[in-house]
Amino acid sequence: TILILDFGSQYSHLITRRCRELSVYCEMLPCTQKIKDLSWKPKGIILSGSPYSVYDPEAPHVDPDVFTLGVPVLGICYGLQEIARTHGGQVEAHSHREYGYAKIQVEKVGSHGDRLFDGIDMDTDGMQVWMSHGDQLTSLPPGFKVIAHTPTSPYTAIAHEIEHVFGVQFHPEVSHSPKGKEVIAAFVHNVCGIKGGWSMDSFIPKEIARIREICGEKGQVIGAVSGGVDSTVAAKLMHEAIGDRFHAIMVDNGVLRKDEAKKVHEMLTENLGVNLHVVDASELFLSRLRGVEDPEKKRKIIGNTFIEVFEDEALKLEAAAEKEVEEKGGEAKGKIEWLLQGTLYPDVIESISFKGPSATIKTHHNVGGLLEDMKLKLIEPLRELFKDEVRALGRLLNIPAHLVGRHPFPGPGLAIRILGEVTREQITILQHADDIYIEEIRAAGLYDQISQAFAALLPVKAVGVAGDARTYDQVIALRAVSTEDFMTADWFAFPPAVLKKISSRITNEVKGVNRVTYDITSKPPGTVEWL
Ligand code: XMP
């Protein structure tokens, strides 16, 4: 395992990502982690970048034990500067911040220091890398040699002559450093001697064994499912581990897509064998949403009502289990002790990442305050995985491909896609239009090229004509975006014929709609959802 110490750089999680792509297992911990408190010994340590300058009074500092553990260390950007600071080098603020592409020239030193760039194919004028730093090294710490430089930065990469301690000023973890991954590979494979071999295949039996050990012989687990990839994969894994001792609960909040509750029920129960309870609470949700137009209010109402309904169902399940024992005798089922959450690695990183020396580390449950009186403990089998890894896991668990590749769907559902008041009539119109839209996207073979697509219903009426008659009906806005991480997004360029077919079907088939528009706003300045 590689230990990554996070000093708060926006790129820290990418280091994890690159190690995983090399099939090398790694764990990222905040830079405040003390080496003596670790229960395992890393085979190599990577120090991340940071928004701080090493001489800031507030700046976070590396635990000196990092350098006495006897394992290779690679410092990236701020990590390099921390190495310099702790080893007697000099770091100074540069007159201008170096931000953007640079070409580095590698220097051979005839020792182990050469291994960091060994075997990497360079362009004739060097290797392109991405820089983003204000400070830079102005004198080499004793015992170190320069292994790469640029015209403006003489100490772009350094290595200790004897110890396996390396530092690079550039960011090998970002995609703007095209050969950066090879530098990380050289560090983990050649310097640390880790071969790799971590794979999703090995993840399943290991995780199942871990779940069984945690839950013991009788422990019961509950978890909410939505039909989305994460909760479906988590539920299937739980089912593989403890069978019917896992109880999946799906809350129908009335603002799901067309036939969604029915489809999820079929899929989870019939295809995947998961023990599922569907609670139809649509009446309760819709009554509370009546008259509400403000999007944040809608979110709050749906979030709070969800917790209430889920909690109620969990208590009912527990009471039913107790009653069964009373009536039929036999062995008592275990208590519900655990709450399954489909938390992914980016959520974990978001909560553990280093926010500053005085910041405490956030806890990261998505469903705040859930089931406090039941004192449930969290179980998070996906907490080490990225989204695409969850998809790969889903495929290995035989979850149907169309489910594994599903676009995300927000918790507040259609309530944030109906602008204005949410009523049964508006929901029916939107469900129908959205269903046609997605059906046509799939028929055109475009679904997997789009990150997220949906229809929104606008609270305005427009004039149209049908046959010889005037119509005065509502407007549907179609949205489709491509994005890497949903922080920024581009609108998707449909072939015109596809839009034509979708528009014609929606205006012909959906009662109450006479006009279809396509949203050509990027994020920013738009957001993905309309509300
Ligand atoms: P925005 O609209 O913020 O959306 O650009 C980015 C991604 O987040 C989803 N989204 C939500 N998901 N609860 C959720 O579970 C919400 O309240 C919510 N709001 C937006 C959105 O669908 C997109 O994938």
Side-chain angles (χ1 to χ4, degrees):
T1 304
I2 291 276
L3 169 64
I4 298 164
L5 289 175
D6 170 34
F7 289 82
S9 152
Q10 55 175 326
Y11 305 130
S12 297
H13 71 283
L14 292 175
I15 308 173
T16 312
R17 191 67 245 211
R18 298 289 99 85
C19 289
R20 294 279 185 84
E21 285 166 2
L22 297 165
S23 307
V24 167
Y25 189 69
C26 58
E27 211 164 296
M28 187 170 104
L29 294 172
C31 56
T32 44
Q33 174 67 43
K34 292 275 174 254
I35 296 295
K36 66 174 171 39
D37 297 335
L38 277 183
S39 58
W40 48 281
K41 185 176 173 186
K43 284 197 175 157
I45 300 175
I46 300 179
L47 312 175
S48 83
S50 174
Y52 286 93
S53 165
V54 283
Y55 295 118
D56 274 349
E58 301 267 275
H61 292 304
V62 63
D63 177 1
D65 287 351
V66 160
F67 303 108
T68 55
L69 199 60
V71 301
V73 179
L74 171 66
I76 295 175
C77 196
Y78 184 87
L80 160 81
Q81 289 149 21
E82 269 294 278
I83 290 173
R85 189 191 61 82
T86 51
H87 289 75
Q90 196 69 32
V91 176
E92 281 172 21
H94 202 39
S95 52
H96 63 280
R97 204 181 151 75
E98 193 175 13
Y99 186 81
Y101 290 109
K103 282 266 173 154
I104 64 164
Q105 303 288 339
V106 171
E107 297 177 32
K108 291 280 178 208
V109 290
S111 69
H112 73 91
D114 292 335
R115 285 204 226 152
L116 202 60
F117 298 110
D118 210 19
I120 302 177
D121 236 359
M122 304 278 163
D123 299 335
T124 44
D125 57 343
M127 180 172 111
Q128 183 177 303
V129 297
W130 181 258
M131 296 278 195
S132 172
H133 61 106
D135 296 350
Q136 76 170 30
L137 225 60
T138 49
S139 84
L140 208 54
F144 280 81
K145 287 235 157 136
V146 173
I147 55 172
H149 68 270
T150 70
T152 53
S153 140
Y155 311 113
T156 301
I158 62 170
H160 194 271
E161 285 172 296
I162 300 157
E163 314 283 335
H164 288 184
V165 178
F166 298 79
V168 293
Q169 184 62 74
F170 61 92
H171 285 275
E173 70 276 29
V174 306
S175 57
H176 296 326
S177 295
K179 299 268 164 88
K181 190 174 162 184
E182 293 178 47
V183 175
I184 294 178
F187 178 71
V188 298
H189 295 322
N190 304 347
V191 179
C192 302
I194 305 175
K195 291 224 161 44
W198 185 84
S199 77
M200 210 38 85
D201 295 301
S202 59
F203 178 85
I204 297 177
K206 221 179 78 203
E207 192 54 29
I208 287 180
R210 194 182 76 95
I211 295 169
R212 286 186 182 145
E213 196 183 328
I214 291 175
C215 300
E217 291 285 303
K218 281 189 180 177
Q220 312 264 324
V221 180
I222 53 167
V225 289
S226 64
V229 190
D230 306 343
S231 65
T232 304
V233 171
K236 176 66 178 161
L237 194 61
M238 234 37 224
H239 178 73
E240 296 277 311
I242 59 168
D244 279 354
R245 285 195 281 138
F246 170 61
H247 310 269
I249 297 174
M250 175 167 191
V251 176
D252 182 349
N253 58 14
V255 279
L256 302 176
R257 281 165 292 191
K258 188 165 172 237
D259 299 328
E260 182 75 357
K262 203 172 107 216
K263 285 187 201 159
V264 174
H265 185 261
E266 271 171 20
M267 184 266 299
L268 278 174
T269 310
E270 286 160 29
N271 290 6
L272 304 180
V274 171
N275 179 11
L276 175 72
H277 312 260
V278 179
V279 192
D280 181 359
S282 49
E283 201 53 57
L284 179 66
F285 279 88
L286 296 185
S287 68
R288 290 186 181 171
L289 285 169
R290 199 163 296 143
V292 178
E293 292 190 3
D294 179 75
E296 287 314 300
K297 272 195 193 136
K298 288 178 179 175
R299 280 192 170 83
K300 211 166 258 162
I301 290 170
I302 292 173
N304 292 341
T305 310
F306 176 87
I307 293 174
E308 216 178 281
V309 173
F310 185 81
E311 191 160 33
D312 198 45
E313 192 59 21
L315 291 167
K316 272 191 206 150
L317 274 176
E318 205 163 51
E322 276 170 24
K323 194 155 166 245
E324 197 180 311
V325 175
E326 264 171 36
E327 282 174 1
K328 297 194 188 147
E331 214 186 329
K333 278 192 183 157
K335 263 185 86 65
I336 297 180
E337 281 178 80
W338 298 92
L339 174 67
L340 172 74
Q341 295 235 302
T343 318
L344 303 193
Y345 199 65
D347 311 328
V348 176
I349 287 177
E350 172 55 27
S351 63
I352 66 164
S353 76
F354 181 74
K355 298 279 175 11
S358 59
T360 46
I361 293 158
K362 269 196 289 172
T363 51
H364 59 270
H365 31 94
N366 301 332
V367 196
L370 188 57
L371 305 181
E372 255 167 19
D373 35 342
M374 284 182 76
K375 309 240 176 333
L376 292 180
K377 292 169 274 186
L378 282 187
I379 187 161
E380 300 174 308
L382 311 181
R383 58 175 284 127
E384 292 171 357
L385 307 181
F386 287 95
K387 189 86 174 182
D388 55 327
E389 293 175 326
V390 173
R391 294 207 159 107
L393 177 60
R395 286 189 282 271
L396 286 172
L397 288 166
N398 292 323
I399 296 175
H402 70 273
L403 267 159
V404 167
R406 241 173 155 201
H407 295 171
F409 184 71
L414 303 184
I416 56 168
R417 294 176 180 175
I418 291 170
L419 286 85
E421 191 187 357
V422 178
T423 62
R424 286 226 183 249
E425 294 70 36
Q426 296 284 283
I427 294 169
T428 307
I429 292 174
L430 182 56
Q431 280 177 334
H432 193 177
D434 186 73
D435 192 55
I436 293 173
Y437 182 39
I438 300 299
E439 195 176 294
E440 288 301 327
I441 289 175
R442 284 201 190 273
L446 297 173
Y447 191 84
D448 293 338
Q449 292 176 37
I450 297 170
S451 307
Q452 194 173 8
F454 59 88
L457 183 58
L458 308 189
V460 287
K461 285 192 160 190
V463 172
V465 57
D468 290 330
R470 175 188 193 269
T471 60
Y472 187 50
D473 279 328
Q474 268 181 281
V475 182
I476 281 284
L478 305 175
R479 181 96 167 120
V481 295
S482 318
T483 170
E484 288 271 320
D485 55 8
F486 293 92
M487 301 298 286
T488 60
D490 280 330
W491 55 274
F492 181 77
F494 276 108
V498 177
L499 286 178
K500 203 168 184 173
K501 174 118 189 264
I502 293 164
S503 152
S504 142
R505 276 198 63 193
I506 291 176
T507 46
N508 277 307
E509 296 173 36
V510 183
K511 214 167 158 279
V513 173
N514 67 356
R515 209 168 273 256
V516 177
T517 63
Y518 185 53
D519 181 356
I520 49 166
T521 321
S522 315
K523 173 183 181 175
T527 53
V528 175
E529 301 290 345
W530 272 58
L531 291 179

